[in-house]
Amino acid sequence: RSSWLLLAPLLTPPVPVITAPPCSLCPEGAHRFQWIRNLVPEFGISSSHVKVLSSPAEFYELLKVQIKTAKQRVVMASLYLGTGLLEQELVDCLEETLEKSLQAKGSPSLRVSILLDYTRGSRGRKNSRTMLIPLLQRFPEQVRVSLFHTPNLRGLLRLLIPERFNETIGLQHIKVYLFDDNVILSGANLSDLYFTNRQDRYVLLQDSPEIADFFTELVDAIGDVSLQLQRDDTVQMMEGMVHPYQGDKMAYCEIANQRVMEVINSARTRQELLHAKTFHSSQQGSSLLSQQDSQASRELKPQPDTWIYPLIQMKPFGIQIDEMVTETLLTEAERDARIYLTTGYFNLTQAYMDLILGTRAEYRILLASPEVNGFFGAKGVAGAIPAAYVYIEHQFYSEVCCLHQQERVQLQEYSRAGWTFHAKGLWLYLAGSDLPCLTLIGSPNFGYRSVHRDLEAQVAIVTENKALQQQLHREQEQLYLCSGVVSSSTFEQPNRYVKLWVKLVTPLIKNFF
């Protein structure tokens, strides 16, 4: 099987490296990160609507509660849905809620839309598809299941690469869970490990209709260019849509780009109009609203102290917003600022590594120790992946030491008995501040796959509210408390021994995991 994996770099076209345009952090306006709204919609909300969760169990219970209370819409985007008892309980909750909607007076108002990856969701005889088919059969008018298939897995490549390894070419990797006007952003998939002992991150945005509308439209757009699961376990494209691996690749990617960018640009236009209206209505002597109306609207909706920016990365479709924003944040981080960056799979792009090693901020990078890597103990070639990550980590650490940057750039390894580690994101502390004012949370791992191969989404949360900043700070502290600092002696431990063949193969395949 490893021989097929080694063929992959030869069979896929090289991807040009594109860096972010020059951009400086603008001190004008409500906050210094307002430049992000030049690229994406800006959603201003009250910090009281943001809740940071800390555990898989809390995440799972919240999913069930939100499904049971949903009235209008349930939208879930994930890599896959597992096949165990906990996942079946989620499906049962969906069935119960759909049944209630069906029995209500008038036509049923609840709509359920689920977006998964085709290759991962089709793996094995019992899979995500077989879990969801009963819902499609029973509620055909209310349920939609879309399976995204990367346009890069086609032709000879699709025939040669076996199951499991075909996922290396590209995936639907977005994780968004949406119930009416409540949105959960996470890096967690819908699988029992992520509900029990796989540490991730989770943020709930409550009563945020504009944000919920945006992610509903985004999932719909990706769903429209995905294969639609049918009641008999077949799949088909929507009428008139270009097929992702049988149709013309360029035409497919162009349509997908248009659909996604239309969602981003129309939401951005709506938010700019809303911002202008709110700004003018709050001005003294405004002709748009009387003083009483203006005051009433302010009492009804508190002034935003927190801003949400959705960052989308879909390089197969030519969309690189998340990459541009992340690179700009790393480039512009000032001296004495602190950046806490965490990833379940430490395999940073060359551009990100160069920025970390070449800029002035302090970095604390949290990654998985081999024992908490999701591939630890896997069968076959996959079992060597933790060793490959150790090799990549050692190379980066050696570079840090060569540049005498050990004080400024520190690696830490997450270690917790009986757990695996999947948390990813970033917290930014401005110089002189003990609390973060910005965090990135969502699906990207800051690696080559996230930037070049997969469909990814995260949000930048910028807040001036001290209570929310403290929530984010506690989240960061809780994760980093379970870690030890990496030193040269770390790589001398017996469990860090990397076989020669792994060292030779890693440079060839590192862009695929």
Side-chain angles (χ1 to χ4, degrees):
R1 281 190 162 193
S2 59
S3 59
W4 295 125
L5 191 59
L6 293 175
L7 278 173
L10 307 175
L11 296 168
T12 48
V15 185
V17 177
I18 301 174
T19 54
C23 181
S24 60
L25 298 180
C26 175
E28 298 171 68
H31 56 82
R32 63 191 302 163
F33 304 105
Q34 218 164 39
W35 54 267
I36 304 174
R37 78 174 185 193
N38 295 330
L39 298 169
V40 295
E42 175 187 73
F43 301 99
I45 63 171
S46 166
S47 56
S48 61
H49 292 190
V50 184
K51 185 184 179 188
V52 180
L53 313 181
S54 60
S55 75
E58 195 179 359
F59 169 59
Y60 181 61
E61 291 304 318
L62 181 63
L63 285 176
K64 289 195 294 182
V65 168
Q66 290 292 318
I67 289 171
K68 287 176 181 176
T69 55
K71 297 286 187 288
Q72 303 298 323
R73 59 184 166 186
V74 171
V75 178
M76 299 201 287
S78 185
L79 174 59
Y80 69 107
L81 171 71
T83 57
L85 294 174
L86 294 178
E87 297 93 326
Q88 186 58 56
E89 202 175 328
L90 277 187
V91 175
D92 292 344
C93 287
L94 282 169
E95 185 177 9
E96 188 184 314
T97 307
L98 283 160
E99 184 61 48
K100 264 192 231 167
S101 173
L102 207 58
Q103 290 171 357
K105 287 180 182 177
S107 60
S109 56
L110 182 68
R111 294 289 178 270
V112 174
S113 176
I114 298 171
L115 171 67
L116 305 173
D117 181 72
Y118 176 88
T119 53
R120 188 61 181 271
S122 304
R123 188 203 285 179
R125 289 183 66 184
K126 190 179 181 185
N127 53 40
S128 305
R129 291 160 67 162
T130 58
M131 291 287 286
L132 293 168
I133 281 169
L135 291 183
L136 278 172
Q137 290 173 339
R138 190 155 176 215
F139 308 98
E141 301 301 316
Q142 292 172 265
V143 177
R144 179 192 195 191
V145 179
S146 305
L147 301 167
F148 173 80
H149 191 295
T150 178
N152 292 328
L153 183 64
R154 56 175 49 230
L156 186 63
L157 194 65
R158 192 171 191 273
L159 292 172
L160 289 177
I161 300 187
E163 197 176 81
R164 286 179 70 91
F165 290 103
N166 57 12
E167 297 168 25
T168 61
I169 305 304
L171 293 165
Q172 189 314 102
H173 201 246
I174 296 167
K175 291 88 188 275
V176 174
Y177 308 108
L178 189 158
F179 315 91
D180 292 341
D181 293 338
N182 301 327
V183 183
I184 303 171
L185 274 304
S186 180
N189 292 305
L190 294 172
S191 172
D192 54 4
L193 290 173
Y194 296 89
F195 304 150
T196 52
N197 62 346
R198 191 152 170 75
Q199 184 62 59
D200 216 298
R201 297 181 64 208
Y202 336 84
V203 167
L204 169 64
L205 307 176
Q206 296 169 291
D207 192 23
S208 304
E210 290 96 350
I211 301 171
D213 287 348
F214 173 83
F215 280 107
T216 298
E217 289 169 21
L218 180 69
V219 171
D220 279 348
I222 303 165
D224 287 349
V225 297
S226 299
L227 294 154
Q228 305 300 305
L229 183 63
Q230 305 300 305
R231 285 176 278 179
D232 60 356
D233 198 19
T234 60
V235 291
Q236 62 183 48
M237 289 300 290
M238 285 174 59
E239 198 174 335
M241 193 61 69
V242 178
H243 198 282
Y245 62 86
Q246 292 174 350
D248 181 78
K249 182 180 173 182
M250 195 175 287
Y252 173 81
C253 291
E254 198 174 309
I255 289 167
N257 173 289
Q258 286 171 1
R259 288 288 288 110
V260 174
M261 288 310 299
E262 188 184 320
V263 171
I264 293 168
N265 291 330
S266 62
R268 193 165 152 247
T269 302
R270 283 198 307 268
Q271 290 308 113
E272 281 174 356
L273 289 169
L274 185 67
H275 177 79
K277 188 178 175 184
T278 307
F279 176 79
H280 290 305
S281 70
S282 64
Q283 298 304 297
Q284 202 168 22
S286 166
S287 60
L288 291 173
L289 285 173
S290 68
Q291 198 170 350
Q292 293 89 339
D293 286 343
S294 178
Q295 190 169 345
S297 69
R298 281 202 301 273
E299 283 169 8
L300 195 67
K301 199 170 185 180
Q303 285 289 94
D305 57 8
T306 300
W307 294 267
I308 310 293
Y309 300 93
L311 308 179
I312 311 303
Q313 183 74 13
M314 299 177 182
K315 193 72 164 278
F317 304 156
I319 298 169
Q320 299 163 242
I321 296 167
D322 180 62
E323 178 188 5
M324 289 168 66
V325 171
T326 303
E327 285 190 6
T328 306
L329 287 172
L330 298 182
T331 303
E332 298 293 335
E334 60 198 344
R335 189 181 297 280
D336 297 327
R338 281 176 297 137
I339 290 178
Y340 288 79
L341 186 150
T342 178
T343 173
Y345 304 110
F346 183 73
N347 188 12
L348 301 178
T349 64
Q350 192 60 50
Y352 290 164
M353 282 195 285
D354 290 346
L355 287 170
I356 289 168
L357 294 172
T359 49
R360 299 159 294 176
E362 287 181 24
Y363 284 86
R364 299 291 178 263
I365 301 172
L366 182 62
L367 50 123
S369 65
E371 295 78 16
V372 300
N373 186 295
F375 291 98
F376 186 73
K379 293 176 184 176
V381 175
I385 289 177
Y389 281 117
V390 168
Y391 182 58
I392 293 165
E393 177 190 350
H394 195 180
Q395 285 184 310
F396 181 75
Y397 180 77
S398 299
E399 205 169 340
V400 170
C401 292
C402 282
L403 296 168
H404 307 290
Q405 299 285 311
Q406 300 97 305
E407 290 299 311
R408 190 180 66 81
V409 180
Q410 194 175 92
L411 296 179
Q412 294 177 230
E413 286 187 352
Y414 186 94
S415 185
R416 190 174 176 187
W419 284 64
T420 53
F421 184 69
H422 198 250
K424 68 272 305 243
L426 177 153
W427 298 258
L428 174 61
Y429 295 67
L430 296 177
S433 176
D434 294 328
L435 297 172
C437 62
L438 175 146
T439 192
L440 301 182
I441 178 168
S443 63
N445 276 297
F446 306 105
Y448 187 94
R449 287 201 57 146
S450 291
V451 171
H452 295 285
R453 296 190 177 282
D454 299 340
L455 305 192
E456 305 278 12
Q458 64 180 341
V459 295
I461 302 176
V462 178
T463 185
E464 295 175 343
N465 180 270
K466 287 286 184 278
L468 179 53
Q469 289 178 353
Q470 282 164 351
Q471 269 195 78
L472 295 170
H473 178 65
R474 278 195 300 272
E475 179 198 31
Q476 176 271 114
E477 277 193 322
Q478 193 175 344
L479 290 172
Y480 280 71
L481 272 174
C482 297
S483 70
V485 177
V486 171
S487 66
S488 53
S489 63
T490 302
F491 301 101
E492 293 166 12
Q493 296 168 18
N495 65 340
R496 303 310 165 98
Y497 173 72
V498 181
K499 293 175 182 176
L500 178 61
W501 75 267
V502 176
K503 291 180 180 180
L504 294 173
V505 166
T506 297
L508 297 172
I509 63 169
K510 65 182 287 188
N511 294 341
F512 292 86
F513 61 84

